Amino acid sequence: MLPLSSRPPRGYILLAVMLLLAALVLLVALAQQRAGDEGLTANRERSEAQARALAEAGLERTRAYLGELLARDVDLDRALDPGLDTDCLTLPALGGVTWDDHLPPFADSQPVTVSSSGRDYLRVLADEGAEGAYFVRIDDNDDDAQDSMLLSPATSNNPIGNCLEGPVLGPLRDNPVRDRDGMVWVTVIGVHPGTSLEGNDARVTLRVLVGPGEPAGIIAGGTVRMSGAAHVCGPFGDVVATGSVEGGCLCGAACSSGPFWNACVQGEACIAQAGGSMCSATSGRGPGTEVCEAGVSVPPPPRVSAWDVTNAPLDCTGAPCLPFYYLRLDEGAAQARLYGWSYSACHSPRSAPRVCSPADCPTCWVLLDANTQNEPMGISLSHADPGLRNPSPSVTIPGARAPRVWLADGSGGFRSGSGSCDAGDTALYPGTTGFGRRDVRNVWFEYFPESAATPLPRGVWFVEGNVRFRSAGTPSCAALQADPTYSASIIATGSIVHEAGLISLRPASPKGVVLLAGRDLVMRGAQSRVLTCGTSAAVMVHEQVVMGGDSHVEAQLVAENASTCDAEVVGEAVQMSGSATVAVPQFPPVPAGPPLRVRLQSESTH
């Protein structure tokens, strides 16, 4: 028998084995925990990615919806109060709040109230078979404190339920269910894998301020050619063209050739961006200041159509209303006819998909007694006639005692472009022969007042045919100051030719348009000028523009260059020569590119 001191220490060996086993078990557990944590992290990351994708899809869908609203309305009131049925009498509190306020009208959705905030969101589940959902809400950007004439068309334009807007509310009040500047906050929350905002599922929140696109003084769907001493003036004289920008001077003090009215009095820093291979305009501000870039990505110009319903006035529920006139030639009677829109019978002229003519909507138009027995081709109308501003317009100063405004040349029939004319145009047109996409009436309506002191009666004038300014002008901007509310816009289905006379107009169309040509715009002669009296205004042309001599346009110029249906002008989108000048002193009303873009964006995860 071995002595005790030489026996192996079995107890210590057993303890060492047990400790080793415990360590192994701990290592396995730690490895499993780590694997589990990594799995949870991976799952969380996948859920966050899915939540972000859901939020982004909801944002794009909401932006598309808001873009559709802005394509028809001057603001986003209906995005905040879709039914225009909220009571604003007790602001800042709201009465009669309806479930659809601040929510887009998506069919596959459900309104929910978040208990932690009390705010309503619209919940949209992920596509069938997928997990998750997104929640969306639209809020105003507190724009009522802004005091700008640019916002006038969108201020208190939907006063139903005492919903006023603008500075009239006072400095400490804002109307959360009305919009004035076309900008709103969109909040979209993506959730995955659950469908509730109250749980611990992955959440990604996108908060985005969306609003109109960038401005530009000249927007052209093709090349802008400025030869001779042609130039652009004003702080908003940027040029954006999908083609080239050839020649010209941009906004600098040296851009001052021609008569005094064409001089750039104060040098401004303007730029030109061309999608084509050439951009050769100079800045007029000295060496090292040239900013003309070619070969860049330029958005296509906005669609220009006389029949676009957004050219029409807004609804009117009580006098004084903004008249909406329709001028046409009645070939059968050999007589010019003037109609006025009846707000009493049909309310908003924007309710139809396009401008609705008297032939399409006979109950919506009132035939006005604006002819004289001796001049059936003339239209005589008094700017001072109060009956013209009633919801159901009427002539209380008959044509025999009213000054002549328009004179038709009596040309009947219509002309059609070739088979490719406007083949890519997506605008809506009447389907009647002679009024279709390729057709324009032959008649010319000349602005032919008996006196230069006779103003064009206020309102939006829709002319079925062509318009000419050959000899007479309108009262000056100084004369118009006597009536700050005066405004007038002319929209022609055909071409507009301006050969002489000073035309001074403030835009009546809520879009900001003073002149719109459904075909071409031609300005020639030493005195062919269009002034907009310091307002934000646009001249829009469906096809091409030619400006020669000392012609002058004080407005944003938009040339879609959609086709060459009319032979009045062929070639580049904008053709300027002599000392022809486009001056843009105020913020342009028509954005370059999409009507809605992201201005600010923030993101958070949970």
Side-chain angles (χ1 to χ4, degrees):
M1 181 176 214
L2 294 173
L4 290 176
S5 57
S6 61
R7 293 180 184 173
R10 292 186 224 170
Y12 289 108
I13 295 176
L14 181 60
L15 180 59
V17 171
M18 292 178 64
L19 289 174
L20 181 61
L21 289 174
L24 290 173
V25 170
L26 178 61
L27 289 174
V28 171
L30 289 173
Q32 290 176 338
Q33 181 179 356
R34 182 177 180 182
D37 289 343
E38 290 177 349
L40 289 174
T41 300
N43 288 336
R44 186 72 178 184
E45 290 175 350
R46 283 194 294 269
S47 287
E48 283 186 2
Q50 291 295 323
R52 180 174 291 102
L54 286 166
E56 290 173 347
L59 175 60
E60 288 307 307
R61 186 178 182 185
T62 305
R63 283 181 59 191
Y65 159 66
L66 295 173
E68 291 173 0
L69 288 181
L70 273 187
R72 292 182 57 88
D73 299 333
V74 296
D75 55 28
L76 294 172
D77 284 355
R78 290 187 179 274
L80 304 171
D81 182 12
L84 299 179
D85 51 4
T86 299
D87 187 359
C88 306
L89 181 62
T90 58
L91 282 175
L94 292 173
V97 177
T98 55
W99 67 267
D100 57 352
D101 286 354
H102 306 286
L103 307 181
F106 299 157
D108 53 341
S109 61
Q110 178 185 10
V112 297
T113 302
V114 179
S115 59
S116 58
S117 65
R119 288 195 151 200
D120 294 330
Y121 285 81
L122 196 74
R123 179 174 63 186
V124 180
L125 300 179
D127 294 337
E128 187 175 354
E131 297 177 310
Y134 67 79
F135 298 75
V136 59
R137 175 184 173 87
I138 303 168
D139 290 287
D140 192 25
N141 65 326
D142 299 342
D143 51 16
D144 286 296
Q146 301 180 46
D147 189 6
S148 170
M149 288 185 61
L150 295 176
L151 304 180
S152 296
T155 299
S156 297
N157 55 309
N158 289 307
I160 304 168
N162 307 293
C163 286
L164 301 180
E165 302 174 76
V168 68
L169 296 177
L172 300 179
R173 300 174 70 187
D174 182 74
N175 191 334
V177 291
R178 290 294 184 270
D179 165 61
R180 300 175 67 218
D181 59 1
M183 290 193 284
V184 292
W185 285 100
V186 178
T187 304
V188 188
I189 307 172
V191 178
H192 188 274
T195 59
S196 172
L197 291 176
E198 306 296 339
N200 294 319
D201 296 300
R203 274 186 279 170
V204 173
T205 301
L206 301 179
R207 182 165 168 79
V208 177
L209 179 67
V210 295
E214 293 292 343
I218 296 180
I219 304 174
T223 292
V224 175
R225 176 174 293 170
M226 292 182 277
S227 59
H231 56 278
V232 183
C233 293
F236 302 99
D238 294 344
V239 178
V240 175
T242 59
S244 294
V245 177
E246 302 177 3
C249 189
L250 301 181
C251 307
C255 307
S256 300
S257 300
F260 68 91
W261 61 74
N262 278 350
C264 294
V265 178
Q266 182 174 348
E268 304 285 354
C270 298
I271 65 170
Q273 293 183 321
S277 59
M278 178 186 295
C279 195
S280 58
T282 60
S283 70
R285 293 185 291 120
T289 60
E290 310 305 331
V291 186
C292 192
E293 188 176 6
V296 299
S297 177
V298 173
R303 187 184 68 188
V304 181
S305 170
W307 297 97
D308 191 330
V309 74
T310 61
N311 299 326
L314 304 172
D315 194 8
C316 178
T317 56
C321 296
L322 180 66
F324 185 25
Y325 298 112
Y326 193 104
L327 182 59
R328 62 180 293 268
L329 175 66
D330 184 341
E331 295 183 30
Q335 187 173 12
R337 299 286 194 189
L338 181 65
Y339 299 82
W341 180 269
S342 174
Y343 295 96
S344 297
C346 294
H347 295 288
S348 174
R350 290 169 163 242
S351 58
R354 57 169 174 78
V355 171
C356 198
S357 71
D360 296 325
C361 307
T363 60
C364 297
W365 295 94
V366 176
L367 179 61
L368 300 176
D369 181 14
N371 303 103
T372 63
Q373 185 174 0
N374 297 327
E375 200 171 44
M377 290 296 173
I379 294 295
S380 298
L381 206 64
S382 173
H383 171 67
D385 192 334
L388 299 174
R389 303 192 68 186
N390 289 328
S392 182
S394 63
V395 173
T396 60
I397 302 176
R401 293 192 287 116
R404 183 185 60 221
V405 179
W406 296 100
L407 186 63
D409 69 352
S411 299
F414 62 93
R415 59 188 183 278
S416 297
S418 64
S420 61
C421 165
D422 273 341
D425 191 7
T426 59
L428 296 175
Y429 289 79
T432 311
T433 300
F435 295 90
R437 189 175 308 279
R438 298 186 295 115
D439 305 334
V440 171
R441 310 303 294 181
N442 287 324
V443 64
W444 285 85
F445 286 94
E446 182 176 351
Y447 179 69
F448 201 30
E450 296 175 356
S451 166
T454 301
L456 176 68
R458 78 178 74 232
V460 177
W461 289 82
F462 188 95
V463 182
E464 187 184 283
N466 309 279
V467 169
R468 186 186 303 275
F469 299 95
R470 181 156 40 191
S471 58
T474 66
S476 66
C477 289
L480 294 181
Q481 288 179 356
D483 184 0
T485 66
Y486 174 83
S487 60
S489 299
I490 301 172
I491 299 162
T493 61
S495 293
I496 297 178
V497 174
H498 185 4
E499 297 171 307
L502 173 62
I503 305 300
S504 301
L505 299 172
R506 299 192 197 105
S509 170
K511 187 187 286 186
V513 175
V514 286
L515 296 177
L516 188 150
R519 288 296 183 235
D520 295 323
L521 171 66
V522 178
M523 297 188 65
R524 52 188 174 224
Q527 298 293 323
S528 299
R529 290 186 282 165
V530 176
L531 300 184
T532 56
C533 308
T535 60
S536 171
V539 172
M540 303 185 71
V541 183
H542 181 63
E543 295 190 10
Q544 294 84 36
V545 176
V546 163
M547 295 178 61
D550 298 327
S551 58
H552 182 102
V553 169
E554 184 193 47
Q556 178 189 35
L557 180 62
V558 179
E560 186 183 7
N561 193 27
S563 190
T564 309
C565 301
D566 198 322
E568 192 74 40
V569 180
V570 294
E572 289 79 12
V574 177
Q575 305 162 42
M576 300 169 62
S577 60
S579 71
T581 303
V582 175
V584 194
Q586 298 294 333
F587 192 91
V590 181
L596 209 66
R597 70 179 183 90
V598 173
R599 290 178 169 268
L600 294 173
Q601 179 169 336
S602 63
E603 177 180 327
S604 61
T605 59
H606 172 74

